[in-house]
Amino acid sequence: MTQMQKKATYYSIAAFSLIVTIAFIFIRKEALAKFFEVETGFYLADASLPRVLHYGLFAVVVLYALAYLIPKLTKTAEFEMRPPSSFVVFSSAFTGFILFAFILRGVREYLKIAKDRNLLKNPKVFLIFIIILAIPAAMHFFSKITADGKQSDKRAILGLAPVFWCMSYIFVLYFDRSILINNPNKILTQLTFVAVALFLLFECRFPLGRPKSGAYLSSALIAQLLTGVNSMPNILYYFKNAEPLKISGESNSFNDFLSTFMTGSPLVQPVLFDFLTFGFFLYATARIFSLARMSNPLTGEINPAEAVEAETVAGETVAGENADELTTGEENVALSTGEVAPTENGDRASNAADPTENGDRADNAPEGSEH
């Protein structure tokens, strides 16, 4: 498979996954708008669209997981660490800023909790752990802006920070008693952050120079699907159910818009988590589309498969040159002994057998063959 064919394959995969994600975003949006009961936290029992959503998501996730076993899709070349594209830089900066906003919000919440003497009895105290973990996680995404594509153990270690953050948030969300444990939106949120953690974990292999291409692509596709389907309908639902606040009895469109951040109704988590999930969606999408760039633009390196082919061709060329040199050496020996060597040029063979005009030169033929 040539490099152009590989690029076409990966762009086709990226386009297909994005179209599938957008389709499920609209399906979940309609399911929430028409069949979701806020009072119970469940969809209507006889509604078919929520079942299409859940079974469809399960089928696509299984399909993406099985794509790892198809060599033509995931093992045509090893992806390598390279400087990020502009889309990756934007999505990384967006995610980093949302994490930074989460830290500021968490500090404010902590100051409120600190006024209570019984800190350990307040369930919000456990949010302190994910606030602390959010600091290196934000640093990880900000570091993507200046990434140079070189191997680095420090970047790999820093890349574990968002993985631990996702796993810690899953733990906090699981024990949140304000939401039923079998709430479908809560289950989807937990699975989403599991997929993100797995995707970021495989990405930590790149700075170490040991990428696992098939597993990375499969996890990226799953993370893109679940983060998109989870975040965008949640954000739309939040703002749709928000009530604008009027200032001094007068309506102002900008003030009304800002007030919706305070009056919206989240499905599972505060809307800031939905924006963070949307940042993960942008980042996964950017990474999937950037996989089609097979060579490193700074170093000019090619992928390992092409490197092996180049080494093979070079080895054959060197072997051919050595064979030519060996033939030339045999001809020189024939000239020195006066024997006729079979060559393509008959005149050269006859000249080797005939005495030359300079007898001394003929006698010193072995000496001349050393030069």
Side-chain angles (χ1 to χ4, degrees):
M1 183 180 291
T2 64
Q3 186 172 353
M4 293 300 296
Q5 290 175 334
K6 293 173 185 176
K7 287 185 178 181
T9 300
Y10 289 119
Y11 277 127
S12 300
I13 295 173
F16 172 79
S17 64
L18 184 59
I19 292 173
V20 170
T21 302
I22 294 175
F24 276 101
I25 287 174
F26 280 102
I27 292 175
R28 183 164 183 259
K29 173 183 174 297
E30 293 298 319
L32 290 174
K34 297 179 179 179
F35 305 106
F36 182 71
E37 294 182 337
V38 180
E39 296 79 9
T40 61
F42 295 94
Y43 294 101
L44 296 176
D46 57 346
S48 59
L49 192 60
R51 287 198 296 270
V52 171
L53 171 67
H54 297 149
Y55 289 127
L57 284 176
F58 176 78
V60 175
V61 168
V62 172
L63 176 64
Y64 287 163
L66 294 178
Y68 169 72
L69 304 176
I70 305 177
K72 290 185 178 180
L73 294 181
T74 60
K75 299 180 181 178
T76 52
E78 286 288 336
F79 306 134
E80 59 188 26
M81 191 71 178
R82 58 179 62 85
S85 63
S86 57
F87 190 12
V88 173
V89 170
F90 169 78
S91 58
S92 300
F94 179 86
T95 307
F97 278 116
I98 297 298
L99 280 170
F100 183 72
F102 169 76
I103 295 170
L104 295 179
R105 176 183 177 274
V107 171
R108 188 187 65 176
E109 292 292 331
Y110 174 74
L111 293 178
K112 292 181 180 180
I113 297 173
K115 296 179 180 179
D116 188 359
R117 295 179 180 179
N118 299 322
L119 293 179
L120 296 178
K121 294 182 179 180
N122 194 323
K124 289 187 177 181
V125 74
F126 296 103
L127 294 176
I128 297 175
F129 295 103
I130 60 175
I131 294 171
I132 295 174
L133 288 174
I135 298 175
M139 293 173 58
H140 165 73
F141 285 102
F142 283 133
S143 67
K144 297 287 184 179
I145 301 175
T146 58
D148 53 6
K150 297 180 181 180
Q151 296 183 11
S152 173
D153 294 342
K154 295 181 180 179
R155 289 187 181 274
I157 295 174
L158 188 61
L160 293 175
V163 176
F164 289 127
W165 186 92
C166 290
M167 299 306 296
S168 300
Y169 178 66
I170 294 170
F171 177 82
V172 172
L173 184 61
Y174 179 82
F175 289 100
D176 187 354
R177 296 181 179 179
S178 63
I179 308 173
L180 293 176
I181 194 171
N182 57 345
N183 184 304
N185 296 309
K186 181 177 181 178
I187 295 174
L188 177 61
T189 303
Q190 291 174 323
L191 294 177
T192 297
F193 280 93
V194 169
V196 172
L198 188 63
F199 162 61
L200 296 176
L201 184 62
F202 280 113
E203 191 171 67
C204 291
R205 299 176 63 96
F206 281 79
L208 297 176
R210 297 181 178 180
K212 197 171 183 62
S213 304
Y216 177 74
L217 180 59
S218 295
S219 63
L221 294 174
I222 296 173
Q224 179 199 43
L225 173 68
L226 296 183
T227 52
V229 174
N230 182 60
S231 63
M232 297 188 69
N234 284 11
I235 294 173
L236 294 175
Y237 179 88
Y238 180 87
F239 287 107
K240 182 180 179 181
N241 293 277
E243 297 180 0
L245 299 178
K246 296 182 179 180
I247 301 177
S248 301
E250 297 180 359
S251 177
N252 182 283
S253 58
F254 182 72
N255 291 332
D256 291 346
F257 172 75
L258 292 180
S259 66
T260 58
F261 282 91
M262 304 299 296
T263 61
S265 301
L267 276 173
V268 176
Q269 53 195 353
V271 70
L272 190 61
F273 287 93
D274 294 325
F275 277 103
L276 179 59
T277 309
F278 180 69
F280 289 138
F281 165 72
L282 293 178
Y283 183 76
T285 303
R287 279 302 187 189
I288 292 172
F289 276 94
S290 66
L291 293 180
R293 299 188 307 159
M294 305 306 295
S295 61
N296 193 320
L298 291 184
T299 62
E301 295 175 358
I302 59 178
N303 63 73
E306 295 175 350
V308 172
E309 294 178 0
E311 290 178 0
T312 303
V313 174
E316 293 175 354
T317 304
V318 172
E321 292 176 355
N322 291 338
D324 293 339
E325 292 175 2
L326 180 61
T327 303
T328 304
E330 292 174 353
E331 292 177 359
N332 290 337
V333 172
L335 289 173
S336 64
T337 57
E339 297 177 359
V340 179
T343 61
E344 295 179 357
N345 191 338
D347 296 337
R348 184 177 178 183
S350 61
N351 289 338
D354 294 338
T356 60
E357 295 179 358
N358 190 344
D360 295 336
R361 183 178 178 184
D363 294 336
N364 297 329
E367 225 174 275
S369 64
E370 293 175 1
H371 292 290

